[in-house]
Amino acid sequence: MIHRAQGRTPDQLRKVTIERNHTKHAEGSVLVSFGDTKVLCTASVLDKVPPHKKGSGEGWVTAEYGMLPRATHTRSDREAARGKQTGRTQEIQRLIGRSLRAVVDLKLLGEHTIQVDCDVIQADGGTRTASITGAYVALADAVSWMIAQKKIGQTPIKDAIAAISVGVVGGVPMLDLDYSEDSSCDTDMNVVMTGVGGFVEIQGTAEGTPFSVDELNALLGLAQKGIHELIAVQKLVLGE
Amino acid sequence: MIHRAQGRTPDQLRKVTIERNHTKHAEGSVLVSFGDTKVLCTASVLDKVPPHKKGSGEGWVTAEYGMLPRATHTRSDREAARGKQTGRTQEIQRLIGRSLRAVVDLKLLGEHTIQVDCDVIQADGGTRTASITGAYVALADAVSWMIAQKKIGQTPIKDAIAAISVGVVGGVPMLDLDYSEDSSCDTDMNVVMTGVGGFVEIQGTAEGTPFSVDELNALLGLAQKGIHELIAVQKLVLGE
Amino acid sequence: MIHRAQGRTPDQLRKVTIERNHTKHAEGSVLVSFGDTKVLCTASVLDKVPPHKKGSGEGWVTAEYGMLPRATHTRSDREAARGKQTGRTQEIQRLIGRSLRAVVDLKLLGEHTIQVDCDVIQADGGTRTASITGAYVALADAVSWMIAQKKIGQTPIKDAIAAISVGVVGGVPMLDLDYSEDSSCDTDMNVVMTGVGGFVEIQGTAEGTPFSVDELNALLGLAQKGIHELIAVQKLVLGE
Amino acid sequence: MIHRAQGRTPDQLRKVTIERNHTKHAEGSVLVSFGDTKVLCTASVLDKVPPHKKGSGEGWVTAEYGMLPRATHTRSDREAARGKQTGRTQEIQRLIGRSLRAVVDLKLLGEHTIQVDCDVIQADGGTRTASITGAYVALADAVSWMIAQKKIGQTPIKDAIAAISVGVVGGVPMLDLDYSEDSSCDTDMNVVMTGVGGFVEIQGTAEGTPFSVDELNALLGLAQKGIHELIAVQKLVLGE
Amino acid sequence: MIHRAQGRTPDQLRKVTIERNHTKHAEGSVLVSFGDTKVLCTASVLDKVPPHKKGSGEGWVTAEYGMLPRATHTRSDREAARGKQTGRTQEIQRLIGRSLRAVVDLKLLGEHTIQVDCDVIQADGGTRTASITGAYVALADAVSWMIAQKKIGQTPIKDAIAAISVGVVGGVPMLDLDYSEDSSCDTDMNVVMTGVGGFVEIQGTAEGTPFSVDELNALLGLAQKGIHELIAVQKLVLGE
Amino acid sequence: MIHRAQGRTPDQLRKVTIERNHTKHAEGSVLVSFGDTKVLCTASVLDKVPPHKKGSGEGWVTAEYGMLPRATHTRSDREAARGKQTGRTQEIQRLIGRSLRAVVDLKLLGEHTIQVDCDVIQADGGTRTASITGAYVALADAVSWMIAQKKIGQTPIKDAIAAISVGVVGGVPMLDLDYSEDSSCDTDMNVVMTGVGGFVEIQGTAEGTPFSVDELNALLGLAQKGIHELIAVQKLVLGE
């Protein structure tokens, strides 16, 4: 029998907190914690769009992801000093951007860009899922600011979105893996879902033994439960 | 009712060919075609390992991916001239490397690296799945060469591996999307499986409407069928 | 007569807080605030030294500086995405490193590196002076950790060090400029001093009218007062 | 007496083949082989010109060159992964571009760019000369496409162009060096000529002993013979 | 008692020469020598301004700094080959640009840029101060050329500007340190002043023991003397 | 009839000067002028060799080339600021290195590297040929220094080497083209020869009309004459 830290059951999320207005300049600024994983998500509103959207009447939502050098157990090189972002960073920021765009009507956004930055202050597994979950709240705040500023007339947000990791650890499907669980799991899966329960992204990887359809379904069941709870937290902090 | 090019049924692969020994220098060299998608996969054997494997007694398998500038409908910038690889390129080459490592026993490989290069000569959708499918054959040829050269005593390959894309196009789950299908699909999923039928990677993305568990299961069923057929082709060309 | 925000007098610091153990992985981790300027300073202990110190028996202390993209009023490009650090970033991180080395006996440090990272979470003027002031506390914590781990036998820290900005705003010499004061000042000066009151760095720039010896002396007097107070805060939080 | 592979005489070309329409997207797409050297040459028509030609009424022809990592005996680093093109690559692509422009009337091309990509699939010496020879055919096909599309009214091509290497190997002047000959030759020369027999480029390098005017003239004579034959092949495949 | 090379007294400049029209293409071209330190300063007039000045009616003055690889005792890597400028280079070129802008009325310059390049031909300490001192003369020549060309109606130069290093060497405050003095000094300070005697920049660093207000004042007194003499040389060569 | 500047005849070199010991740190330091083209060539002796020569007992000679930003009529971007060297720069520095290696016995050089830097102070055509011609003298001085230092026992220099440009301008073959001649010529050729009169490099390019064998021979005759004269100047300044 696997013992999880803090006596968590296999289907239990870590303590999740979402703090709005964490910094003062951004139109949306959220500090999200999944246990010891802490990510600062800011949403910046820009009155311009990337070239492929110019003149289209549509807006754009995009994301960048970074990790402070000592967010991790041992220090990682600073990407700005190395002169390039790793493949992992690029993969994660593309995932965050796609996930957010899945719940935004780009036409209703008009020719504006919402640029989301997810910067990991402290890492303990699940930084990409915490980023998506927190980024949604920062996005919602930025949209409220745009409406208050009369930059747009109605919200382009179609639904909430959140993400969680699941995995098979020591043969047991588990929800919301921390770093030590993630390092030792057989299968690792990140799931992104909307408020109404549709899948937006499923990324599952067998680190050791390949997984079966049954394991997949068990993991997806856990993920649905976790995301349901995360979206409840989002609604609570947004006062919806 | 959707009409597919060449009168394909929704659960039908495009014409798949795998040509071994396509170029003469590499230890494994395969030209794989999924319809009009053509990828040259070479496997190079290096008598060294990356730093994190030095002195471990284990080997490494890694992959790089590239696309010739005019493999696509309109010319793309050459990554070497731009001075960096796109996020998409990095994501794909990480996927190929992970997939191949899933079926290789790195201990049996000894301190050697098999470096796989997948270069897209012509693109028509499914370049990453064709790459994985062809790369496996190039890998197998490189391993045979190593055994013949007495660099290793037995094969480190534990199982075959192949990949296919599936997606929901116009409401219909379909196998092996070509470029025009991929551009218009609601959900796009890449699936990597082993010969015995375990999942190694599932990457599903809703481009439009989020997808449900039922759609997911339909897509996975199609993928299992397709990969079963691809692995049969691999065995055939390898003379197994 | 100039009115400062929060009714500050010209010779008054903003509210200064230094929070130790802000994140859990680093050997020293400090969140320093000078008013609305907030910088996370981590100190990482590495058991290696840069090439120019190899075999010398001496250690090294170095610093990197970064700013989260939306730490500022409008979003700045992410340096990791641009692929290089700006001249301003490099100038600041060189200053932080030099300042810290001024109070460390590299011989007593042995062949270890203390790598300090200063990442600006929120910027409102004075990010480099807050960085130096906070970095000293993170450094002290890392040194305590090294002693506890028996990596070194005695502290290599010779004195405390702190920094403050001063400037002439609307003709009045002022201490600890916030962003709006910094943007409108005639002369801007950053001063780094040790606990016993020696100057380690003075960097003064006339943005408008050149400044005189008298103005310089008035500014240095203010800086001495401010640094005296900052060092008192450092001692307090370190329990000295 | 030197024995050449396949029993070639010193003044004999390797087997030359030029296959048009090798890939389907490019306006011109040619696979050229000089023996085991195989280069894919595509010509892409762009409705824009580089800055120095904007508003001039003239077009531009330019080339990029690349080598697949395992086109060579041992794997070379991928230039896209290294983040820059080598000096050799830049030298070759500048040569290809200059050679093609020598036979194109840029005024008749109008404000269009023909972008030629030469990618070496398999290398066995003479990749730059095969590239120029094949690129001319791809260019001719792209021009025919432009005329068919009524982008231009008449051909801007003034003459054919081809290239060959010659060298002194073991004291004997030889035509069309393969890799092993090229590696051991004293003098290596690349010659580019037009259909009417004028020189466009001569690049001769003494790798060992400097060469004399007599050797130079012997080499140029061989080159003239070889280019004459190459231009005959070009005409044949173009149906001229 | 410290002996300086060439029997210099502590308050004595090295031999200073400023040669105008050193090269023929630039609008201003000056070779400045402070003893064995030799810097070529060219000023180029461009009929455009950087983006932040477009449409403002104001011009810009900016500087770049470089060092030939063997200007130094041992060869340094060529920055163009390394692919980036060091932090030191960026710090120096930012200092030169700021210093020159301090004496130029950007409104009177109109929408032109004066681009100054300071390239160190031979280094023996004080390259940044020689650069600023020489760059002013090159700037003055470029401005004269602009007036002669009727690009501007009156000079935008408000005052002369020059720079000198001072430092405490072996306990003695000294003017204009050469390389060996600079390498062994306790405190090193670069001072930039205008013709009327105002400070534009003071950058002082304690390399060893921190310095006191008294030492600072002694150094500033030396710097004032040195800059007074440098500005006399500037006026002489400019025929003012 | 073409009039050349300064009344030069078609077969006449510009005024050539070679000044040794131009700067003080390098083991060889030469300022070479071909008319208004001025290049500083330094030769640095390093007690190490590049990886491909390690343990071979042989040395290496290599070259880098640069141009000061305002060496030219209009300012060029600084390559260090752009972050990469142009294709032209790389082509030239490869040519210089190859040319020098043609006259050095790498075995006699032992495991040392002579690193030559050619930096163009002022450009007026022929910078690469002036670079090679001057670099030879810097190399000779560096070799003398090595012998004096007893780093090597005998000279590894086998012969002198020099280079000149020739071209067809207005139908007339001419020697040593200046910038205006080079810009308007039909054919441009750079020739590198040894003291005994062997060719090391011939690089001829038809800028307009292709050239014939007769023109080629006329140009080579001119080049032989010019190089003969250049080598006489080299011998004179080296006191041979």
Side-chain angles (χ1 to χ4, degrees):
Chain A
M1 166 94 205
I2 306 285
H3 287 282
R4 307 189 80 183
Q6 278 86 42
R8 271 205 288 160
T9 56
D11 67 347
Q12 196 179 348
L13 291 175
R14 287 177 286 180
K15 177 155 189 257
V16 173
T17 63
I18 299 178
E19 180 198 335
R20 291 163 67 198
N21 303 314
H22 186 71
T23 56
K24 72 173 190 176
H25 299 307
E27 286 73 39
S29 174
V30 160
L31 184 74
V32 60
S33 305
F34 280 20
D36 279 340
T37 291
K38 292 175 195 300
V39 185
L40 176 56
C41 307
T42 59
S44 299
V45 177
L46 312 178
D47 290 335
K48 60 181 183 183
V49 286
H52 72 284
K53 284 294 179 187
K54 262 188 196 146
S56 70
E58 295 194 350
W60 192 242
V61 177
T62 186
E64 286 183 3
Y65 170 93
M67 178 113 70
L68 296 193
R70 195 55 197 279
T72 43
H73 285 76
T74 56
R75 186 176 183 275
S76 323
D77 284 348
R78 184 178 292 269
E79 292 184 325
R82 294 173 64 243
K84 64 177 179 173
Q85 296 179 303
T86 62
R88 178 184 174 277
T89 291
Q90 297 204 43
E91 208 169 304
I92 293 175
Q93 64 194 13
R94 283 158 52 88
L95 171 65
I96 300 169
R98 270 199 318 271
S99 298
L100 296 175
R101 286 193 298 275
V103 293
V104 173
D105 182 327
L106 297 177
K107 275 204 167 49
L108 289 182
L109 184 56
E111 288 206 12
H112 303 97
T113 296
I114 300 182
Q115 166 83 47
V116 173
D117 288 284
C118 296
D119 284 275
V120 180
I121 304 298
Q122 188 172 278
D124 188 34
T127 64
R128 79 189 72 188
T129 54
S131 292
I132 292 168
T133 305
Y136 170 72
V137 178
L139 178 80
D141 277 341
V143 160
S144 298
W145 180 87
M146 290 177 81
I147 293 173
Q149 295 288 316
K150 300 199 191 309
K151 284 179 178 284
I152 49 176
Q154 63 179 115
T155 183
I157 296 180
K158 299 181 290 188
D159 198 351
I161 195 148
I164 199 68
S165 74
V166 285
V168 180
V169 185
V172 182
M174 286 190 181
L175 181 65
D176 188 18
L177 309 187
D178 66 21
Y179 177 77
S180 72
E181 293 166 343
D182 188 56
S183 306
S184 63
C185 71
D186 290 314
T187 294
D188 174 28
M189 186 172 297
N190 292 293
V191 180
V192 185
M193 295 183 78
T194 59
V196 300
F199 292 107
V200 166
E201 289 270 346
I202 295 179
Q203 297 194 336
T205 301
E207 306 281 347
T209 320
F211 57 93
S212 64
V213 171
D214 286 353
E215 281 171 314
L216 173 63
N217 285 330
L219 291 172
L220 292 178
L222 280 176
Q224 283 172 307
K225 173 182 181 292
I227 288 175
H228 188 77
E229 293 172 22
L230 290 172
I231 285 177
V233 175
Q234 289 175 335
K235 282 187 195 300
L236 191 70
V237 302
L238 284 169
E240 292 173 359
Chain B
M1 169 93 205
I2 307 285
H3 287 282
R4 306 189 82 183
Q6 275 85 42
R8 270 204 289 160
T9 56
D11 67 349
Q12 197 178 350
L13 291 175
R14 287 177 285 180
K15 179 156 188 257
V16 173
T17 64
I18 299 178
E19 179 198 335
R20 290 164 68 199
N21 304 315
H22 186 71
T23 57
K24 71 171 189 176
H25 299 306
E27 286 72 41
S29 174
V30 160
L31 184 74
V32 60
S33 305
F34 281 19
D36 279 340
T37 290
K38 292 174 197 299
V39 185
L40 176 56
C41 307
T42 60
S44 300
V45 177
L46 312 177
D47 290 336
K48 61 179 184 184
V49 286
H52 73 284
K53 284 293 179 188
K54 261 185 197 147
S56 70
E58 296 195 351
W60 192 241
V61 178
T62 185
E64 286 183 5
Y65 170 93
M67 178 113 69
L68 296 193
R70 195 55 197 278
T72 43
H73 284 78
T74 56
R75 187 176 183 276
S76 321
D77 284 347
R78 183 179 293 268
E79 290 183 324
R82 292 173 66 242
K84 64 176 181 175
Q85 295 178 303
T86 62
R88 178 183 174 279
T89 291
Q90 298 205 42
E91 207 168 307
I92 293 174
Q93 64 194 13
R94 283 157 55 87
L95 171 65
I96 300 169
R98 270 200 318 271
S99 298
L100 295 175
R101 286 193 297 274
V103 293
V104 174
D105 182 327
L106 298 178
K107 275 204 166 47
L108 289 181
L109 184 56
E111 289 206 13
H112 302 97
T113 296
I114 301 181
Q115 166 83 48
V116 174
D117 288 284
C118 297
D119 284 276
V120 180
I121 304 297
Q122 188 171 277
D124 189 33
T127 64
R128 79 189 72 187
T129 54
S131 292
I132 292 168
T133 305
Y136 169 73
V137 178
L139 178 80
D141 278 341
V143 161
S144 298
W145 180 88
M146 290 177 80
I147 292 171
Q149 296 287 315
K150 301 200 191 306
K151 285 180 178 283
I152 50 176
Q154 62 178 116
T155 182
I157 297 181
K158 299 181 291 187
D159 198 351
I161 194 149
I164 199 66
S165 74
V166 285
V168 180
V169 186
V172 180
M174 288 189 178
L175 180 66
D176 187 19
L177 309 188
D178 66 20
Y179 177 78
S180 73
E181 292 166 344
D182 188 56
S183 307
S184 64
C185 72
D186 289 314
T187 293
D188 173 27
M189 186 170 298
N190 291 294
V191 179
V192 185
M193 294 184 80
T194 60
V196 298
F199 293 108
V200 166
E201 289 269 346
I202 295 178
Q203 297 193 337
T205 301
E207 307 281 347
T209 319
F211 57 93
S212 64
V213 171
D214 286 353
E215 281 171 313
L216 172 62
N217 285 329
L219 291 172
L220 293 178
L222 279 176
Q224 282 173 305
K225 171 181 183 294
I227 288 175
H228 188 77
E229 293 172 22
L230 290 172
I231 285 178
V233 175
Q234 289 174 335
K235 282 186 197 296
L236 191 70
V237 303
L238 284 168
E240 292 174 359
Chain C
M1 168 93 205
I2 306 287
H3 287 283
R4 307 188 82 181
Q6 276 86 41
R8 272 206 288 160
T9 56
D11 67 348
Q12 196 178 350
L13 292 175
R14 288 177 285 180
K15 177 152 188 261
V16 172
T17 64
I18 299 178
E19 179 197 335
R20 291 164 68 200
N21 304 315
H22 186 70
T23 57
K24 72 172 188 176
H25 298 307
E27 286 73 39
S29 175
V30 160
L31 183 74
V32 60
S33 305
F34 280 20
D36 278 341
T37 290
K38 293 175 196 299
V39 185
L40 177 56
C41 307
T42 59
S44 300
V45 177
L46 312 177
D47 290 335
K48 60 179 185 186
V49 287
H52 73 285
K53 285 292 179 188
K54 261 187 197 146
S56 70
E58 296 194 349
W60 192 242
V61 178
T62 185
E64 287 183 5
Y65 170 93
M67 179 114 69
L68 296 192
R70 196 55 196 278
T72 42
H73 285 77
T74 56
R75 189 176 180 275
S76 322
D77 284 348
R78 183 178 292 268
E79 291 183 324
R82 293 173 65 240
K84 63 175 181 175
Q85 296 178 302
T86 62
R88 178 184 173 277
T89 291
Q90 297 205 44
E91 207 168 305
I92 293 175
Q93 64 194 14
R94 283 158 53 87
L95 171 66
I96 300 169
R98 270 200 319 270
S99 298
L100 296 175
R101 285 193 298 275
V103 293
V104 173
D105 182 326
L106 298 177
K107 274 203 170 47
L108 290 181
L109 185 55
E111 288 206 13
H112 302 97
T113 296
I114 301 182
Q115 166 82 50
V116 173
D117 287 285
C118 296
D119 284 276
V120 180
I121 305 298
Q122 187 172 280
D124 188 34
T127 64
R128 78 189 72 189
T129 54
S131 292
I132 293 168
T133 304
Y136 169 72
V137 177
L139 178 80
D141 277 341
V143 161
S144 297
W145 179 89
M146 291 177 80
I147 292 174
Q149 296 288 314
K150 302 203 189 304
K151 285 178 178 282
I152 49 176
Q154 62 177 116
T155 183
I157 296 181
K158 299 181 292 187
D159 197 352
I161 195 148
I164 199 66
S165 74
V166 284
V168 180
V169 186
V172 181
M174 286 190 181
L175 181 65
D176 188 19
L177 309 187
D178 67 20
Y179 176 77
S180 73
E181 291 166 345
D182 188 55
S183 305
S184 63
C185 72
D186 289 314
T187 294
D188 173 26
M189 186 170 298
N190 291 292
V191 179
V192 185
M193 295 183 79
T194 60
V196 300
F199 293 108
V200 165
E201 287 269 348
I202 295 178
Q203 296 194 338
T205 300
E207 306 281 347
T209 319
F211 57 94
S212 64
V213 172
D214 286 353
E215 281 171 313
L216 172 62
N217 285 330
L219 291 172
L220 292 178
L222 279 177
Q224 282 172 306
K225 171 180 183 295
I227 287 175
H228 187 77
E229 293 172 22
L230 290 173
I231 285 178
V233 175
Q234 289 174 335
K235 282 186 197 296
L236 191 70
V237 302
L238 284 168
E240 292 173 0
Chain D
M1 167 93 203
I2 305 286
H3 287 281
R4 307 189 81 181
Q6 275 86 42
R8 272 205 288 160
T9 56
D11 67 347
Q12 196 178 349
L13 290 176
R14 287 177 285 181
K15 177 154 189 258
V16 173
T17 63
I18 299 178
E19 179 198 335
R20 291 164 67 199
N21 303 314
H22 185 72
T23 57
K24 72 172 190 177
H25 299 306
E27 284 74 40
S29 174
V30 161
L31 184 73
V32 60
S33 305
F34 280 20
D36 279 340
T37 290
K38 292 175 196 301
V39 186
L40 176 56
C41 308
T42 58
S44 299
V45 177
L46 311 178
D47 291 334
K48 60 180 182 183
V49 286
H52 73 283
K53 284 293 180 188
K54 260 187 198 147
S56 70
E58 295 194 350
W60 192 241
V61 177
T62 185
E64 286 183 4
Y65 170 93
M67 177 112 70
L68 295 193
R70 196 56 197 280
T72 44
H73 284 77
T74 55
R75 186 176 183 276
S76 322
D77 284 348
R78 185 178 290 269
E79 291 184 324
R82 293 173 66 243
K84 63 176 180 174
Q85 297 178 303
T86 62
R88 178 184 174 277
T89 291
Q90 297 205 43
E91 206 168 306
I92 293 175
Q93 64 194 11
R94 284 158 52 88
L95 170 66
I96 301 169
R98 272 201 315 272
S99 298
L100 296 175
R101 285 193 298 274
V103 293
V104 173
D105 182 327
L106 298 177
K107 275 203 167 48
L108 289 181
L109 185 56
E111 289 206 13
H112 302 96
T113 295
I114 300 181
Q115 166 82 49
V116 173
D117 287 284
C118 296
D119 284 275
V120 179
I121 304 297
Q122 187 172 278
D124 188 34
T127 65
R128 80 190 71 188
T129 54
S131 292
I132 292 168
T133 306
Y136 170 72
V137 178
L139 178 81
D141 277 342
V143 160
S144 298
W145 179 89
M146 289 177 82
I147 292 173
Q149 296 287 316
K150 302 198 189 308
K151 285 179 177 285
I152 49 175
Q154 62 178 116
T155 183
I157 296 181
K158 299 181 291 186
D159 198 350
I161 194 149
I164 199 67
S165 75
V166 285
V168 180
V169 186
V172 181
M174 286 190 180
L175 180 66
D176 188 17
L177 309 187
D178 67 20
Y179 176 78
S180 72
E181 293 166 342
D182 188 55
S183 305
S184 63
C185 71
D186 290 313
T187 292
D188 174 26
M189 188 170 297
N190 291 293
V191 180
V192 185
M193 294 184 79
T194 60
V196 299
F199 293 107
V200 165
E201 289 269 346
I202 294 178
Q203 298 193 336
T205 301
E207 306 281 347
T209 320
F211 57 94
S212 65
V213 171
D214 285 352
E215 282 171 313
L216 173 62
N217 285 330
L219 291 172
L220 292 178
L222 280 176
Q224 282 172 308
K225 172 182 181 294
I227 287 176
H228 188 77
E229 292 171 23
L230 290 172
I231 285 177
V233 175
Q234 288 174 336
K235 282 186 196 298
L236 191 70
V237 302
L238 284 168
E240 293 173 359
Chain E
M1 167 93 203
I2 307 287
H3 287 282
R4 309 188 81 181
Q6 276 85 41
R8 270 205 290 159
T9 56
D11 67 347
Q12 197 178 348
L13 292 176
R14 287 177 285 179
K15 177 153 189 257
V16 173
T17 63
I18 299 178
E19 179 197 335
R20 292 164 67 199
N21 303 315
H22 186 70
T23 57
K24 72 172 189 174
H25 298 307
E27 285 73 39
S29 174
V30 160
L31 184 74
V32 60
S33 306
F34 280 19
D36 278 340
T37 290
K38 292 174 196 300
V39 185
L40 176 56
C41 307
T42 59
S44 299
V45 177
L46 311 178
D47 291 335
K48 61 179 183 184
V49 286
H52 73 283
K53 284 293 179 188
K54 258 184 201 150
S56 70
E58 296 194 350
W60 192 243
V61 177
T62 185
E64 286 183 5
Y65 170 93
M67 178 113 69
L68 296 193
R70 196 55 197 278
T72 43
H73 284 77
T74 55
R75 186 176 183 275
S76 322
D77 284 348
R78 185 178 291 269
E79 291 184 324
R82 294 174 64 242
K84 63 176 181 174
Q85 297 178 304
T86 63
R88 178 184 174 277
T89 292
Q90 297 205 44
E91 208 169 305
I92 293 175
Q93 65 194 12
R94 284 157 52 88
L95 170 65
I96 301 169
R98 269 200 318 272
S99 298
L100 296 175
R101 285 193 298 275
V103 293
V104 173
D105 181 327
L106 298 177
K107 276 205 167 47
L108 289 181
L109 185 56
E111 288 206 13
H112 303 97
T113 296
I114 300 182
Q115 166 82 49
V116 173
D117 287 284
C118 297
D119 284 275
V120 180
I121 304 298
Q122 187 172 277
D124 188 35
T127 65
R128 79 188 72 187
T129 53
S131 292
I132 292 168
T133 305
Y136 169 72
V137 177
L139 178 80
D141 277 341
V143 160
S144 298
W145 180 87
M146 290 176 81
I147 292 174
Q149 295 289 314
K150 301 200 189 308
K151 285 178 177 285
I152 49 174
Q154 62 178 115
T155 183
I157 296 181
K158 299 181 291 187
D159 198 351
I161 194 149
I164 199 69
S165 74
V166 286
V168 180
V169 186
V172 181
M174 287 189 180
L175 180 66
D176 188 18
L177 309 187
D178 66 20
Y179 177 77
S180 73
E181 292 166 344
D182 188 55
S183 305
S184 64
C185 72
D186 291 313
T187 293
D188 173 27
M189 187 171 297
N190 291 292
V191 180
V192 185
M193 295 183 79
T194 58
V196 300
F199 293 108
V200 165
E201 288 270 346
I202 295 178
Q203 297 193 338
T205 300
E207 306 282 347
T209 320
F211 56 93
S212 64
V213 171
D214 285 353
E215 282 172 312
L216 172 63
N217 284 330
L219 291 173
L220 292 178
L222 280 176
Q224 282 172 307
K225 171 179 182 297
I227 288 176
H228 187 77
E229 292 172 25
L230 290 172
I231 285 178
V233 175
Q234 289 174 334
K235 281 187 197 297
L236 191 69
V237 302
L238 283 168
E240 291 173 2
Chain F
M1 168 88 207
I2 305 287
H3 288 281
R4 306 189 83 183
Q6 276 85 42
R8 272 206 288 160
T9 56
D11 66 349
Q12 195 179 349
L13 292 175
R14 287 177 285 180
K15 176 152 189 260
V16 173
T17 63
I18 299 179
E19 178 198 335
R20 291 164 67 199
N21 304 314
H22 186 70
T23 57
K24 72 172 190 175
H25 298 306
E27 285 73 41
S29 174
V30 160
L31 184 74
V32 59
S33 305
F34 280 20
D36 279 339
T37 290
K38 292 175 196 300
V39 185
L40 176 57
C41 307
T42 59
S44 299
V45 177
L46 311 178
D47 290 335
K48 60 179 185 185
V49 286
H52 73 285
K53 284 293 179 189
K54 261 186 198 146
S56 70
E58 297 195 348
W60 192 242
V61 177
T62 186
E64 286 183 5
Y65 170 92
M67 177 114 68
L68 296 192
R70 196 56 198 278
T72 43
H73 285 78
T74 56
R75 187 177 182 275
S76 320
D77 283 348
R78 182 178 292 269
E79 290 184 324
R82 292 173 66 243
K84 63 176 182 176
Q85 296 178 302
T86 62
R88 178 184 174 277
T89 290
Q90 297 204 44
E91 208 168 305
I92 293 175
Q93 64 193 12
R94 283 157 55 87
L95 171 66
I96 300 169
R98 271 199 318 271
S99 298
L100 296 174
R101 285 194 298 275
V103 293
V104 173
D105 182 328
L106 297 177
K107 274 204 168 46
L108 289 181
L109 185 56
E111 288 207 14
H112 303 97
T113 296
I114 301 182
Q115 166 82 50
V116 173
D117 288 284
C118 297
D119 284 276
V120 179
I121 304 296
Q122 188 172 277
D124 188 35
T127 65
R128 79 188 73 188
T129 54
S131 292
I132 292 168
T133 305
Y136 170 72
V137 178
L139 178 79
D141 277 342
V143 161
S144 298
W145 179 88
M146 290 176 81
I147 292 173
Q149 296 288 315
K150 302 198 190 306
K151 284 179 178 285
I152 50 177
Q154 63 178 116
T155 183
I157 297 181
K158 300 181 290 187
D159 197 350
I161 194 149
I164 199 66
S165 75
V166 285
V168 180
V169 186
V172 181
M174 287 189 179
L175 181 66
D176 187 20
L177 310 188
D178 66 20
Y179 177 77
S180 72
E181 292 166 344
D182 188 56
S183 305
S184 63
C185 72
D186 289 315
T187 292
D188 173 28
M189 187 170 298
N190 292 292
V191 180
V192 184
M193 295 184 79
T194 59
V196 301
F199 293 108
V200 166
E201 289 270 347
I202 295 178
Q203 297 194 337
T205 300
E207 306 280 347
T209 320
F211 57 94
S212 64
V213 171
D214 287 352
E215 281 170 315
L216 173 62
N217 285 329
L219 291 172
L220 292 178
L222 279 177
Q224 282 172 305
K225 172 181 182 294
I227 287 175
H228 188 78
E229 292 172 22
L230 290 172
I231 284 178
V233 176
Q234 289 174 335
K235 280 186 198 297
L236 190 72
V237 301
L238 284 168
E240 293 174 0

